[in-house]
Amino acid sequence: MKLSELGEFGLIELIRQKSPTGSGVHRGIGDDAAEISLPAGHHLLTSTDLLIEDVHFRRDWTDYQALGHKAVAVNLSDIAAMGATPRYLYLGLACPGDTDLDDINMFLNGALDEAARHNVALVGGDTCRSPGPWLISVTIEGSAPANQAIGRDGAQAGDLIMVSGSLGDSALALQMLREGQAPDAELLARHHRPTAQVELGRRLAERGLARAMIDISDGLAGDLEHILQASRVDGVIDEELLPLSAAFRRATDGHPTLRQLALYGGEDYELLFTVPPDRVAEVSALGVQLQLSITRVGIIQEGSGRLSLRDGTGAIHALQVRGYDHFCHA
Ligand code: ADP
Ligand code: MG
């Protein structure tokens, strides 16, 4: 069946039926606005992301379930980066009238499964016909006890720079797809089905372990620079300390340009945060508890937002940040 046969209201009803309600939801899908209550003493955190066909994804490189998963995961990652708890989701969806309902169902399954895994309820959205490309707009709301959320602006000289997981896998998979090569399954999964580090972010905030935090969507260097500029400090990354997966090492061995994807590639959706030196042991213990690798990659220094890299020989280079800019990388 095609979307044009089901119609806008048929699709909204389908979405409503697939969406379990959530705690704190007084009115969800079906009214003019969602009505929600947050736990007492919590602040509301809201983030939104656009995904546009042929800019953010290609329908011939992904499947609809993975697309739904990723649309939600990248938003969860923004809430994780604040150290907050994700709670409510809004989905804006525009696709052509001849879209197959099976594709829509797969997309919704991917999105709703990922939301449910984090106890996040879909409570509203908007639906319309697109003249061509798919457009997906996801808004997420989360909450955190007052004064607990972690911004980009709290890093202080002496803090250690830490990162979860491994870097560059997603960007390497994308690069290989672009070149017509088949990335191995582990790299592809990192690209198509990223994992938001929600639990890690929340625990870091609850225990006050991180002073500044961001999720890595535009590459380690570019996102670290956001922290440095917001916090008015400098940062030095140690190239030898960058956490690389075995699959990434294999595929980039002898290819220094590809190796650089660990610094400049995007879409890792790992957390990058700064920790006062006397709290590093607690962060390491948290990593063990959550079965996540957490690696120290550098240090914060007094300064004014500049980033540099210490290479294998100990030489320090000012870094040319090449994070993704939508208007500069057409
Ligand atoms: P309005 O005309 O006020 O925009 P709609 O007919 O677009 O209302 O939406 C009706 C209800 O369905 C609203 O509660 C809206 O939030 C919800 N809704 C519409 N599209 C979606 C969607 N893609 N996902 C989730 N909820 C949706
Ligand atoms: Mg509407």
Side-chain angles (χ1 to χ4, degrees), residues 8-9 12 15 28-32 91 93 122 124-127:
E8 176 184 343
F9 298 109
I12 294 174
I15 295 173
I29 297 173
D31 219 308
D32 293 309
L91 173 65
L93 188 60
L122 179 63
D126 202 21
T127 306

Side-chain angles (χ1 to χ4, degrees), residues 236-240 308-319:
V236 184
I237 300 178
D238 230 310
E239 191 168 28
E240 306 248 285
S308 39
L309 182 75
R310 180 182 291 114
D311 69 19
T313 70
I316 294 189
H317 313 266
L319 267 202

Side-chain angles (χ1 to χ4, degrees), residues 72-86 114 117-118 163-166 190 193-205 213-216 268-273 286-287 290-294:
V72 171
V74 303
N75 274 266
L76 288 167
S77 182
D78 283 316
I79 296 293
M82 303 298 295
T85 300
E114 182 60 2
R117 220 162 62 80
H118 293 274
V163 67
S164 63
S166 59
R190 289 293 312 272
R193 304 185 72 87
T195 305
Q197 302 296 359
V198 173
E199 198 54 35
L200 174 62
R202 183 172 35 213
R203 301 275 194 104
L204 289 170
M213 184 152 65
I214 192 169
D215 66 319
I216 305 182
D268 295 305
Y269 299 109
E270 296 296 344
L271 292 179
L272 171 65
F273 49 98
L286 181 58
L290 297 177
Q291 296 184 299
L292 283 176
S293 84
I294 298 178

Side-chain angles (χ1 to χ4, degrees), residues 117-154:
R117 220 162 62 80
H118 293 274
N119 284 318
V120 168
L122 179 63
V123 296
D126 202 21
T127 306
C128 56
R129 187 181 67 82
S130 161
W134 276 53
L135 260 106
I136 304 159
S137 161
V138 180
T139 300
I140 194 160
E141 291 175 342
S143 80
N147 307 316
Q148 188 172 291
I150 303 172
R152 299 175 176 185
D153 56 354

